[in-house]
């Protein structure tokens, strides 16, 4: 009987596949399962049984009658192996299930990101946003979160295209002069430990920039992730002339979501420079992706 174990790898592989994927062997498999394997002194036949079970039938190579299947099923070593591999299959299923859920969440986040990008671009062109729809997407996508990519975070200037909960100083100054379209953007350089914020007042003729050191508060590679910015100086740029501004202070930025389409920050507390208030949420997009 111990020679029967030479065909056990076939049984184990097929049983694992059936258990993990949760289906009975289809007709093509049944033809495969009906194939026979031989070991010295015995002939072993595998067939599909009920409830995804696999049945083993053993006959002697001699002319003696076949051993009843029930006799084989009652062999203690086989019962032990069957129990072991059923437990293993259950464990594999428990591991695969969460990863499947996570993959579904990530796909949902990508879909939401594409929808949000479309709504933001439409809002920029129309100069009016569908805030109810946008806010709902922001809530859902930030609840899912994302992996943090330092290279993407440091990939150049990203324009602030949407804010909620409060109006930051840089957005207020962008409206000082009516009928002028101004931009505000942020440029991280994590490798160099620097960050620059720019807010236009009269396009590229008059604008304010603030600059300082930036550092990570944790080593986590998942959102939410916190960054500390120590603003060291500010500059008012007027038609090429640079006038120093007494802007200094510490601020904290909470990265809530990030991908190649957009990134979402929250200010967990008011910055010392009063550049942004507590609770402010800002959605940014790559500057060169915006018409």
């Amino acid at each position: 009987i111990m020679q029967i174990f030479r065909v056990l790898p076939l049984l184990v592989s097929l049983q694992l596949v059936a258990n993990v994927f949760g289906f009975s062997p289809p007709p093509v498999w049944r033809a495969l399962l009906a194939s026979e394997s031989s070991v010295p002194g015995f002939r072993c036949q595998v067939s599909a049984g009920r409830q995804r079970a696999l049945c083993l039938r053993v006959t002697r190579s001699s002319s003696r009658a076949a051993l009843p299947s029930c006799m084989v099923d009652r062999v203690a070593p086989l019962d032990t192996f069957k129990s072991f591999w059923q437990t293993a299959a259950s464990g594999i299923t428990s591991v695969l299930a969460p990863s499947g859920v996570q993959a579904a969440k990530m796909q949902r986040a990508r879909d939401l990101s594409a929808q949000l990008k479309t709504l933001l671009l439409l809002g920029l062109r129309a100069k009016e946003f569908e805030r109810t729809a946008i806010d709902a997407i922001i809530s859902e996508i930030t609840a899912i979160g994302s992996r943090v990519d330092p290279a993407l975070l440091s990939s150049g200037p990203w324009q602030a295209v949407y804010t909620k909960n409060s109006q930051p100083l840089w957005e207020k100054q962008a409206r000082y002069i009516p009928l002028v379209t101004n931009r505000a953007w942020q440029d991280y350089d994590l490798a160099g430990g620097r960050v620059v914020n720019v807010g236009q007042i009269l396009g590229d003729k008059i604008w304010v920039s603030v600059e300082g050191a930036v550092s990570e508060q944790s080593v986590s590679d998942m959102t939410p992730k916190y960054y500390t910015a120590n603003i060291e100086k500010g500059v008012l740029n007027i038609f090429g002339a640079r006038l120093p501004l007494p802007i200094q202070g510490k601020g904290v930025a909470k990265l809530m979501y990030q991908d190649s389409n957009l990134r979402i920050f929250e200010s967990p507390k008011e910055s010392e420079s009063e550049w942004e208030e507590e609770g402010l949420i800002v959605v940014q997009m790559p500057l060169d992706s915006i018409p």
Side-chain angles (χ1 to χ4, degrees):
I1 293 298
M2 294 303 294
Q3 297 183 68
I4 296 172
F5 292 116
R6 296 186 183 183
V7 296
L8 275 177
L10 173 63
L11 297 178
V12 169
S13 299
L14 294 175
Q15 184 69 67
L16 278 175
V17 171
N19 283 344
V20 171
F21 291 96
F23 55 80
S24 298
V28 175
W29 278 35
R30 292 179 185 277
L32 175 63
L33 293 175
S35 63
E36 299 179 358
S37 301
S38 297
V39 295
F42 294 93
R43 186 178 64 185
C44 305
Q45 185 179 29
V46 183
S47 60
R50 296 180 180 178
Q51 299 180 344
R52 306 193 307 274
L54 298 175
C55 300
L56 172 66
R57 182 176 179 81
V58 180
T59 59
R60 295 184 184 278
S61 296
S62 64
S63 58
R64 297 183 181 180
L67 295 175
S69 298
C70 60
M71 289 180 62
V72 176
D73 191 52
R74 289 177 184 150
V75 176
L78 285 178
D79 288 338
T80 301
F81 270 84
K82 180 175 70 173
S83 176
F84 172 79
W85 286 111
Q86 285 178 342
T87 302
S90 177
I92 292 174
T93 304
S94 66
V95 171
L96 290 178
S99 63
V101 171
Q102 186 64 18
K105 287 184 177 181
M106 293 299 99
Q107 181 58 54
R108 176 60 176 166
R110 287 190 290 270
D111 293 341
L112 290 170
S113 174
Q115 295 175 30
L116 183 54
K117 177 182 178 180
T118 298
L119 288 173
L120 292 173
L121 291 176
L122 288 173
L124 288 172
R125 285 196 292 268
K127 299 186 183 302
E128 184 176 357
F129 294 101
E130 296 183 26
R131 289 194 167 271
T132 300
I134 290 174
D135 290 352
I137 293 177
I138 291 175
S139 296
E140 185 176 353
I141 199 171
T142 54
I144 295 173
S146 67
R147 189 169 297 279
V148 177
D149 183 349
L152 185 59
L153 195 63
S154 304
S155 59
W158 284 56
Q159 180 178 330
V161 295
Y162 185 84
T163 61
K164 61 175 295 189
N165 297 340
S166 65
Q167 189 176 45
L169 180 59
W170 47 263
E171 190 173 57
K172 293 177 181 178
Q173 72 182 23
R175 300 179 180 179
Y176 287 166
I177 302 177
L179 305 178
V180 174
T181 300
N182 291 311
R183 298 189 179 197
W185 64 84
Q186 188 173 53
D187 192 352
Y188 275 91
D189 177 11
L190 293 181
R194 305 296 294 176
V195 62
V196 177
N197 294 325
V198 175
Q200 293 180 336
I201 299 176
L202 184 60
D204 59 359
K205 305 301 181 183
I206 303 177
W207 47 279
V208 173
S209 64
V210 295
E211 181 180 345
V214 65
S215 60
E216 301 177 345
Q217 288 191 1
S218 68
V219 295
S220 172
D221 64 347
M222 297 296 295
T223 59
K225 188 174 178 69
Y226 293 82
Y227 298 88
T228 299
N230 289 295
I231 300 303
E232 302 162 350
K233 60 182 179 180
V235 175
L236 174 61
N237 299 268
I238 305 179
F239 296 96
R242 295 170 58 86
L243 305 177
L245 295 175
I247 299 178
Q248 292 183 334
K250 179 184 292 186
V252 177
K254 177 183 177 183
L255 180 61
M256 302 174 69
Y257 181 82
Q258 174 199 37
D259 64 22
S260 59
N261 286 333
L262 51 87
R263 63 192 189 194
I264 303 174
F265 282 99
E266 180 183 17
S267 296
K269 63 179 182 179
E270 183 175 348
S271 59
E272 295 177 358
S273 62
E274 299 182 354
W275 193 246
E276 296 177 346
E277 296 180 2
E278 179 180 353
L280 170 69
I281 290 178
V282 181
V283 183
Q284 302 176 349
M285 296 174 60
L287 185 64
D288 57 10
S289 71
I290 302 172

Short mmCIF file of all heavy atoms in Angstrom, two decimals, residues 45-77:
data_model
loop_
_atom_site.label_atom_id
_atom_site.label_comp_id
_atom_site.label_asym_id
_atom_site.label_seq_id
_atom_site.Cartn_x
_atom_site.Cartn_y
_atom_site.Cartn_z
N GLN A 45 -6.13 4.55 -10.26
CA GLN A 45 -7.02 5.35 -11.12
C GLN A 45 -7.63 6.47 -10.29
O GLN A 45 -8.16 6.24 -9.20
CB GLN A 45 -8.11 4.48 -11.72
CG GLN A 45 -9.00 5.24 -12.71
CD GLN A 45 -10.06 4.34 -13.31
OE1 GLN A 45 -10.48 3.37 -12.67
NE2 GLN A 45 -10.48 4.63 -14.52
N VAL A 46 -7.53 7.71 -10.83
CA VAL A 46 -8.07 8.88 -10.15
C VAL A 46 -9.33 9.33 -10.88
O VAL A 46 -9.36 9.40 -12.09
CB VAL A 46 -7.04 10.04 -10.14
CG1 VAL A 46 -7.59 11.22 -9.35
CG2 VAL A 46 -5.73 9.57 -9.56
N SER A 47 -10.37 9.66 -10.13
CA SER A 47 -11.62 10.13 -10.75
C SER A 47 -12.24 11.20 -9.88
O SER A 47 -11.93 11.33 -8.71
CB SER A 47 -12.60 8.95 -10.94
OG SER A 47 -12.92 8.38 -9.69
N ALA A 48 -13.14 12.00 -10.51
CA ALA A 48 -13.80 13.07 -9.79
C ALA A 48 -14.99 12.52 -9.02
O ALA A 48 -15.80 11.77 -9.55
CB ALA A 48 -14.26 14.15 -10.77
N GLY A 49 -15.08 12.92 -7.76
CA GLY A 49 -16.21 12.49 -6.94
C GLY A 49 -17.13 13.64 -6.64
O GLY A 49 -17.09 14.68 -7.30
N ARG A 50 -17.95 13.51 -5.63
CA ARG A 50 -18.89 14.56 -5.27
C ARG A 50 -18.20 15.65 -4.44
O ARG A 50 -17.24 15.41 -3.75
CB ARG A 50 -20.05 13.98 -4.46
CG ARG A 50 -20.90 12.98 -5.24
CD ARG A 50 -22.01 12.45 -4.37
NE ARG A 50 -22.84 11.50 -5.11
CZ ARG A 50 -23.87 10.86 -4.57
NH1 ARG A 50 -24.17 11.05 -3.29
NH2 ARG A 50 -24.58 10.01 -5.30
N GLN A 51 -18.75 16.86 -4.52
CA GLN A 51 -18.28 17.99 -3.73
C GLN A 51 -16.78 18.22 -3.88
O GLN A 51 -16.06 18.43 -2.93
CB GLN A 51 -18.63 17.81 -2.25
CG GLN A 51 -20.12 17.72 -2.00
CD GLN A 51 -20.44 17.52 -0.54
OE1 GLN A 51 -19.57 17.16 0.24
NE2 GLN A 51 -21.68 17.77 -0.17
N ARG A 52 -16.30 18.17 -5.10
CA ARG A 52 -14.92 18.46 -5.47
C ARG A 52 -13.94 17.44 -4.90
O ARG A 52 -12.73 17.68 -4.87
CB ARG A 52 -14.52 19.89 -5.02
CG ARG A 52 -15.43 20.98 -5.52
CD ARG A 52 -14.78 22.35 -5.32
NE ARG A 52 -14.32 22.60 -3.97
CZ ARG A 52 -15.09 23.08 -3.01
NH1 ARG A 52 -16.36 23.36 -3.28
NH2 ARG A 52 -14.61 23.33 -1.84
N ALA A 53 -14.41 16.31 -4.38
CA ALA A 53 -13.50 15.30 -3.84
C ALA A 53 -12.86 14.53 -4.98
O ALA A 53 -13.40 14.43 -6.08
CB ALA A 53 -14.27 14.35 -2.93
N LEU A 54 -11.70 13.99 -4.74
CA LEU A 54 -11.01 13.16 -5.70
C LEU A 54 -10.98 11.73 -5.17
O LEU A 54 -10.64 11.50 -4.01
CB LEU A 54 -9.59 13.67 -5.93
CG LEU A 54 -9.50 15.08 -6.51
CD1 LEU A 54 -8.05 15.52 -6.58
CD2 LEU A 54 -10.12 15.11 -7.89
N CYS A 55 -11.35 10.78 -6.01
CA CYS A 55 -11.42 9.38 -5.59
C CYS A 55 -10.24 8.60 -6.16
O CYS A 55 -9.87 8.78 -7.32
CB CYS A 55 -12.73 8.74 -6.05
SG CYS A 55 -14.19 9.57 -5.37
N LEU A 56 -9.69 7.74 -5.35
CA LEU A 56 -8.58 6.89 -5.76
C LEU A 56 -9.04 5.44 -5.74
O LEU A 56 -9.57 4.95 -4.74
CB LEU A 56 -7.40 7.09 -4.79
CG LEU A 56 -6.22 6.14 -4.96
CD1 LEU A 56 -5.54 6.40 -6.29
CD2 LEU A 56 -5.23 6.33 -3.80
N ARG A 57 -8.82 4.75 -6.87
CA ARG A 57 -9.18 3.34 -6.95
C ARG A 57 -7.92 2.57 -7.30
O ARG A 57 -7.21 2.91 -8.25
CB ARG A 57 -10.26 3.11 -8.01
CG ARG A 57 -10.71 1.65 -8.10
CD ARG A 57 -11.86 1.50 -9.10
NE ARG A 57 -12.29 0.12 -9.23
CZ ARG A 57 -13.11 -0.51 -8.40
NH1 ARG A 57 -13.59 0.14 -7.34
NH2 ARG A 57 -13.46 -1.76 -8.59
N VAL A 58 -7.63 1.57 -6.53
CA VAL A 58 -6.40 0.81 -6.70
C VAL A 58 -6.75 -0.63 -7.05
O VAL A 58 -7.60 -1.25 -6.41
CB VAL A 58 -5.55 0.84 -5.41
CG1 VAL A 58 -4.27 0.05 -5.61
CG2 VAL A 58 -5.26 2.27 -5.01
N THR A 59 -6.10 -1.16 -8.07
CA THR A 59 -6.25 -2.57 -8.42
C THR A 59 -4.86 -3.19 -8.50
O THR A 59 -3.87 -2.52 -8.82
CB THR A 59 -6.96 -2.73 -9.79
OG1 THR A 59 -6.19 -2.06 -10.78
CG2 THR A 59 -8.36 -2.15 -9.75
N ARG A 60 -4.80 -4.45 -8.20
CA ARG A 60 -3.53 -5.15 -8.31
C ARG A 60 -3.23 -5.40 -9.78
O ARG A 60 -4.11 -5.55 -10.60
CB ARG A 60 -3.59 -6.48 -7.56
CG ARG A 60 -3.77 -6.33 -6.04
CD ARG A 60 -3.71 -7.68 -5.37
NE ARG A 60 -3.97 -7.56 -3.94
CZ ARG A 60 -3.07 -7.22 -3.04
NH1 ARG A 60 -1.84 -6.95 -3.44
NH2 ARG A 60 -3.38 -7.13 -1.77
N SER A 61 -1.95 -5.41 -10.09
CA SER A 61 -1.56 -5.65 -11.47
C SER A 61 -1.87 -7.08 -11.90
O SER A 61 -1.96 -7.39 -13.07
CB SER A 61 -0.05 -5.39 -11.64
OG SER A 61 0.21 -4.02 -11.39
N SER A 62 -2.04 -7.97 -10.91
CA SER A 62 -2.39 -9.35 -11.22
C SER A 62 -3.86 -9.45 -11.56
O SER A 62 -4.56 -8.46 -11.61
CB SER A 62 -2.06 -10.24 -10.01
OG SER A 62 -2.86 -9.87 -8.91
N SER A 63 -4.35 -10.62 -11.77
CA SER A 63 -5.74 -10.80 -12.17
C SER A 63 -6.69 -10.77 -10.99
O SER A 63 -7.87 -11.02 -11.14
CB SER A 63 -5.89 -12.15 -12.90
OG SER A 63 -5.47 -13.21 -12.05
N ARG A 64 -6.18 -10.50 -9.79
CA ARG A 64 -7.07 -10.46 -8.64
C ARG A 64 -8.06 -9.31 -8.75
O ARG A 64 -7.82 -8.34 -9.46
CB ARG A 64 -6.25 -10.31 -7.36
CG ARG A 64 -5.32 -11.51 -7.11
CD ARG A 64 -4.60 -11.34 -5.79
NE ARG A 64 -3.69 -12.45 -5.54
CZ ARG A 64 -2.93 -12.56 -4.46
NH1 ARG A 64 -2.99 -11.63 -3.53
NH2 ARG A 64 -2.14 -13.60 -4.30
N ALA A 65 -9.13 -9.43 -8.02
CA ALA A 65 -10.18 -8.41 -8.07
C ALA A 65 -9.67 -7.08 -7.52
O ALA A 65 -8.74 -7.05 -6.72
CB ALA A 65 -11.40 -8.88 -7.27
N ALA A 66 -10.30 -6.02 -7.96
CA ALA A 66 -9.91 -4.69 -7.51
C ALA A 66 -10.18 -4.53 -6.03
O ALA A 66 -11.15 -5.07 -5.50
CB ALA A 66 -10.70 -3.63 -8.29
N LEU A 67 -9.29 -3.78 -5.39
CA LEU A 67 -9.51 -3.47 -3.98
C LEU A 67 -10.64 -2.45 -3.91
O LEU A 67 -10.63 -1.46 -4.64
CB LEU A 67 -8.24 -2.87 -3.37
CG LEU A 67 -7.03 -3.80 -3.29
CD1 LEU A 67 -5.84 -3.00 -2.78
CD2 LEU A 67 -7.30 -4.98 -2.37
N PRO A 68 -11.63 -2.66 -3.06
CA PRO A 68 -12.72 -1.69 -2.96
C PRO A 68 -12.20 -0.31 -2.60
O PRO A 68 -11.27 -0.17 -1.81
CB PRO A 68 -13.59 -2.26 -1.82
CG PRO A 68 -13.23 -3.70 -1.75
CD PRO A 68 -11.78 -3.79 -2.15
N SER A 69 -12.81 0.72 -3.19
CA SER A 69 -12.39 2.09 -2.91
C SER A 69 -12.49 2.41 -1.44
O SER A 69 -11.69 3.18 -0.89
CB SER A 69 -13.24 3.09 -3.70
OG SER A 69 -13.08 2.87 -5.08
N CYS A 70 -13.51 1.87 -0.76
CA CYS A 70 -13.69 2.18 0.64
C CYS A 70 -12.51 1.69 1.46
O CYS A 70 -12.14 2.28 2.48
CB CYS A 70 -14.99 1.56 1.17
SG CYS A 70 -15.06 -0.24 1.02
N MET A 71 -11.86 0.57 1.02
CA MET A 71 -10.70 0.06 1.74
C MET A 71 -9.55 1.05 1.65
O MET A 71 -8.87 1.33 2.63
CB MET A 71 -10.27 -1.28 1.16
CG MET A 71 -11.21 -2.43 1.47
SD MET A 71 -10.62 -3.97 0.75
CE MET A 71 -9.07 -4.16 1.62
N VAL A 72 -9.36 1.62 0.44
CA VAL A 72 -8.29 2.58 0.27
C VAL A 72 -8.57 3.83 1.09
O VAL A 72 -7.70 4.40 1.72
CB VAL A 72 -8.16 2.95 -1.23
CG1 VAL A 72 -7.10 4.03 -1.42
CG2 VAL A 72 -7.83 1.71 -2.04
N ASP A 73 -9.82 4.25 1.10
CA ASP A 73 -10.18 5.47 1.80
C ASP A 73 -9.98 5.35 3.31
O ASP A 73 -9.81 6.34 4.00
CB ASP A 73 -11.65 5.83 1.51
CG ASP A 73 -12.00 7.21 2.00
OD1 ASP A 73 -11.25 8.15 1.65
OD2 ASP A 73 -12.97 7.35 2.74
N ARG A 74 -9.99 4.12 3.79
CA ARG A 74 -9.85 3.93 5.23
C ARG A 74 -8.41 3.73 5.67
O ARG A 74 -8.15 3.55 6.85
CB ARG A 74 -10.67 2.71 5.66
CG ARG A 74 -12.19 2.95 5.60
CD ARG A 74 -12.94 1.71 5.96
NE ARG A 74 -14.37 1.93 5.81
CZ ARG A 74 -15.24 0.99 5.49
NH1 ARG A 74 -14.80 -0.25 5.26
NH2 ARG A 74 -16.52 1.25 5.39
N VAL A 75 -7.49 3.76 4.72
CA VAL A 75 -6.10 3.59 5.10
C VAL A 75 -5.66 4.82 5.89
O VAL A 75 -5.79 5.94 5.42
CB VAL A 75 -5.22 3.42 3.84
CG1 VAL A 75 -3.74 3.34 4.24
CG2 VAL A 75 -5.62 2.15 3.10
N ALA A 76 -5.17 4.60 7.08
CA ALA A 76 -4.83 5.70 7.98
C ALA A 76 -3.87 6.71 7.36
O ALA A 76 -4.09 7.92 7.49
CB ALA A 76 -4.26 5.14 9.29
N PRO A 77 -2.77 6.30 6.69
CA PRO A 77 -1.88 7.29 6.10
C PRO A 77 -2.57 8.20 5.11
O PRO A 77 -2.31 9.40 5.06
CB PRO A 77 -0.80 6.43 5.43
CG PRO A 77 -0.82 5.15 6.17
CD PRO A 77 -2.25 4.92 6.51
#
